[in-house]
Amino acid sequence: MRRHLLFPLTALGVGLLAFSGCSFDKSGLRHLENVNSNNVNSNNSNSNDNTASCGDGLVGGDETCDDGNISPNDGCGPDCSVENGYQCIGEPSVCTSVCGDGLVARGQEGCDDGNTSPGDGCGPDCQAEEGYVCFGEPSVCNETCGNGSLDTGEACDDGNTSDCDGCAGDCSREDNQCGDGFTECGEACDDANNNACDGCSADCTRVDNQCGDGIAECQEVCDDGNTSDCDGCRGDCTAQETGCGDGFVCGPEVCDDGNTNDCDGCAGDCSRADNQCGDVVRECGEACEGTDFGGATCSSETGGALPGGSLACTAGCTIDTSGCLGVVSCPSNASCPTGLQCVDSSCEPVGDTCDDSPVLLSSSGTFDHTLENLSNSYNAGSGGLDCPELGIADSNGRDRVYRIDLATGDYFSAWIHPQGWNPVLFITDTCPITSCLPGRNDASLNQDQAPERLDYVASTAQTIYLVVDGDDDDGDYRLDFVRGATADWTYLDDTLDVLFSEVLPDPQSSDLGINDACEWFELFNAETSLAVNLEGSTFVTDAGSFWVDLPLLIGPQE
């Protein structure tokens, strides 16, 4: 997102039982109910022998209906046969009762006397009218319910027509009984049995066997009241998370292979996929990783024959000793072969390519180096990498490479001060080096023998290579290097103590003696510990608006 900071420089269903004869025996009613219940269960068992699956919404095999469930009293019974008094069509089956046909559709009709006339005990809606009790098919209705006397057709009579007091308001049954198939009187569910783990608990208090209801039951290992993973109980309630080694990747874990062993693909602390050459962690039998040789040296790897030079780590994480040398004494860089430099009177490789152990810039500091005796590796000009921001045609002199490892938000500023010659400074994130990165800011527009400045802010964790590229020449130079972390810098805003110290209004090309006209102004960062990044800022002057489109850092007190 571009920041425009303007800095002006000038301004429930009732069911009836059918009986033959005139006598009524309450115990016999219960017996019939049990027989009916057994028949339902038997039918359910038989349905399992069919090719069709009762409850799947498809009518097949011996099924005469299938409404997508195995609930009773909805027209299509638990055995997928049409229940008494219903008509069912379609897939899934839609079942409806026909009031006045003399058949009692359990679940929808409380009675059916073969007509829809009112005042005869069974109303036009096929429900028993107030003060009546109805039984049989076609229904016979008597004005007896609520007199406290058990009359013909009544299953019970407790002297009132209230529900949920042991006898239903129409005296058709003893109500408030879990397992009678009627969800009523405070029951959360009633599936016509007292079995648990079949969708309704044995006491009809809840729909059971549901992961996420906070009750660990019915084969659930755990239930924490939700179906989320990584909170102690898996979302399907099949297991509890116990941390690294439980086989579930949660929280900060990068991997979890069900154990805490190393070198099996996932580290023992689940922090990373291990045993991978190239992950910068030397482990699991690797001889080396990057620049980590586990204490090995040229001397130890060659039995002392070649104590000089340096080791290299191959792509397979084995040690390469081809860079090891015998001890060659030297008084100066000039006395060393090409590609070596004189270090403590011994010729050592200097690392003039990014994959050849370049100098690691891990902290701020000033470094005095030379390009003498380095091999030519890169040409940042149009004849090589063609880095357009450098504005040069050629830079095919000797080169030196520095490595800078950055975390997200880290920054660095690099100044090169050549001593009597003209190098080019650029950065890249590719190895081998095949391209340049934006980030160069050169106040002197690459004037000969003038200092060059380069700033960079890492948008992600990465390795950057800083290249000092000789331009048909080589020589000594001083490198001033400053680096910081996320907390050490911020973008310019109006809360920071940054001052304009000098302004060149309305500049002209002739003012600077160069081809490009530019607005010249100087800023001073009065902050004592915070670097300020001008990237994304717009400066407005009489001559126009100027937007800083690359990182440009002003260090504390700079």
Side-chain angles (χ1 to χ4, degrees):
M1 179 180 292
R2 181 180 296 186
R3 289 161 293 280
H4 295 282
L5 301 174
L6 304 181
F7 295 89
L9 299 182
T10 60
L12 183 25
V14 175
L16 297 179
L17 296 174
F19 301 94
S20 62
C22 300
S23 62
F24 177 83
D25 187 292
K26 186 174 185 180
S27 62
L29 172 62
R30 292 178 175 169
H31 173 71
L32 288 173
E33 288 177 335
N34 291 333
V35 169
N36 288 336
S37 177
N38 290 333
N39 286 336
V40 171
N41 291 332
S42 174
N43 288 333
N44 277 329
S45 299
N46 291 336
S47 66
N48 292 332
D49 295 332
N50 298 328
T51 57
S53 178
C54 184
D56 63 1
L58 302 175
V59 180
D62 294 336
E63 296 177 344
T64 57
C65 62
D66 195 316
D67 57 356
N69 65 69
I70 56 174
S71 301
N73 306 323
D74 59 359
C76 187
D79 58 353
C80 284
S81 63
V82 178
E83 293 180 306
N84 195 36
Y86 283 88
Q87 294 177 346
C88 302
I89 59 173
E91 290 179 322
S93 299
V94 177
C95 300
T96 58
S97 65
V98 179
C99 184
D101 62 358
L103 299 176
V104 179
R106 186 179 176 89
Q108 289 189 11
E109 297 179 345
C111 60
D112 195 314
D113 57 358
N115 64 69
T116 57
S117 302
D120 58 1
C122 185
D125 57 356
C126 282
Q127 301 297 324
E129 295 177 303
E130 186 176 359
Y132 285 85
V133 62
C134 300
F135 60 94
E137 294 178 316
S139 299
V140 175
C141 302
N142 297 324
E143 295 181 277
T144 57
C145 183
N147 62 5
S149 176
L150 189 63
D151 297 307
T152 301
E154 294 179 339
C156 58
D157 195 317
D158 58 356
N160 62 65
T161 55
S162 301
D163 287 321
C164 299
D165 58 357
C167 183
D170 59 0
C171 297
S172 62
R173 68 189 183 283
E174 296 181 27
D175 60 3
N176 200 19
Q177 290 182 316
C178 178
D180 62 3
F182 296 93
T183 301
E184 60 187 344
C185 308
E187 294 175 337
C189 56
D190 195 314
D191 56 358
N193 65 65
N194 297 114
N195 302 325
C197 300
D198 60 354
C200 182
S201 62
D203 59 1
C204 297
T205 59
R206 67 187 181 281
V207 178
D208 61 4
N209 202 19
Q210 288 187 315
C211 180
D213 61 5
I215 304 173
E217 60 186 343
C218 309
Q219 292 79 51
E220 292 177 339
V221 173
C222 57
D223 196 313
D224 58 357
N226 62 67
T227 55
S228 300
D229 287 324
C230 298
D231 60 353
C233 182
R234 294 289 295 172
D236 57 4
C237 297
T238 58
Q240 291 179 284
E241 290 96 11
T242 58
C244 180
D246 61 4
F248 304 109
V249 179
C250 291
E253 295 177 344
V254 174
C255 57
D256 196 313
D257 57 358
N259 64 65
T260 54
N261 301 327
D262 285 321
C263 302
D264 60 353
C266 181
D269 60 359
C270 298
S271 62
R272 68 186 184 282
D274 63 0
N275 200 19
Q276 291 183 316
C277 182
D279 62 3
V280 197
V281 181
R282 188 180 60 83
E283 60 185 344
C284 309
E286 294 174 340
C288 57
E289 265 284 3
T291 59
D292 182 2
F293 295 94
T297 63
C298 276
S299 180
S300 67
E301 293 301 302
T302 62
L306 300 174
S310 62
L311 299 173
C313 190
T314 69
C317 292
T318 60
I319 294 177
D320 178 6
T321 60
S322 61
C324 294
L325 305 168
V327 175
V328 179
S329 60
C330 58
S332 67
N333 287 329
S335 61
C336 291
T338 298
L340 303 181
Q341 64 179 341
C342 192
V343 179
D344 297 330
S345 300
S346 297
C347 293
E348 299 284 351
V350 295
D352 57 336
T353 62
C354 64
D355 53 0
D356 189 29
S357 302
V359 176
L360 178 64
L361 296 177
S362 58
S363 59
S364 302
T366 298
F367 307 91
D368 291 312
H369 286 155
T370 181
L371 294 187
E372 286 182 344
N373 300 312
L374 293 178
S375 61
N376 173 252
S377 298
Y378 311 110
N379 175 10
S382 59
L385 300 179
D386 190 18
C387 306
E389 288 190 343
L390 301 181
I392 58 174
D394 196 12
S395 58
N396 58 357
R398 303 180 188 277
D399 309 326
R400 184 164 195 156
V401 181
Y402 298 86
R403 171 183 156 193
I404 309 167
D405 296 326
L406 302 172
T408 302
D410 285 0
Y411 79 91
F412 69 82
S413 295
W415 284 87
I416 184 171
H417 304 273
Q419 299 172 19
W421 60 293
N422 188 40
V424 175
L425 193 65
F426 72 90
I427 58 174
T428 181
D429 62 353
T430 61
C431 180
I433 296 173
T434 58
S435 62
C436 304
L437 281 179
R440 179 175 178 273
N441 287 281
D442 183 5
S444 59
L445 295 183
N446 201 32
Q447 296 180 46
D448 288 349
Q449 303 181 22
E452 288 192 30
R453 165 74 175 266
L454 188 149
D455 296 334
Y456 187 77
V457 177
S459 61
T460 186
Q462 62 184 145
T463 294
I464 292 295
Y465 299 96
L466 174 68
V467 181
V468 177
D469 186 4
D471 188 8
D472 288 328
D473 206 345
D474 56 47
D476 297 331
Y477 63 91
R478 186 180 82 248
L479 179 67
D480 290 330
F481 181 75
V482 177
R483 67 174 295 163
T486 305
D488 300 326
W489 69 274
T490 187
Y491 288 105
L492 178 63
D493 62 27
D494 55 7
T495 67
L496 298 169
D497 194 7
V498 178
L499 311 175
F500 291 90
S501 57
E502 182 178 347
V503 176
L504 177 64
D506 193 21
Q508 301 297 320
S509 299
S510 58
D511 293 336
L512 300 177
I514 57 178
N515 293 329
D516 297 323
C518 57
E519 187 76 14
W520 183 276
F521 56 89
E522 292 183 359
L523 303 178
F524 173 70
N525 181 10
E527 299 285 339
T528 58
S529 61
L530 192 64
V532 177
N533 189 350
L534 301 182
E535 183 182 17
S537 300
T538 299
F539 297 87
V540 179
T541 73
D542 289 342
S545 297
F546 303 89
W547 177 48
V548 181
D549 61 350
L550 295 175
L552 181 57
L553 297 165
I554 308 178
Q557 302 292 302
E558 182 182 21

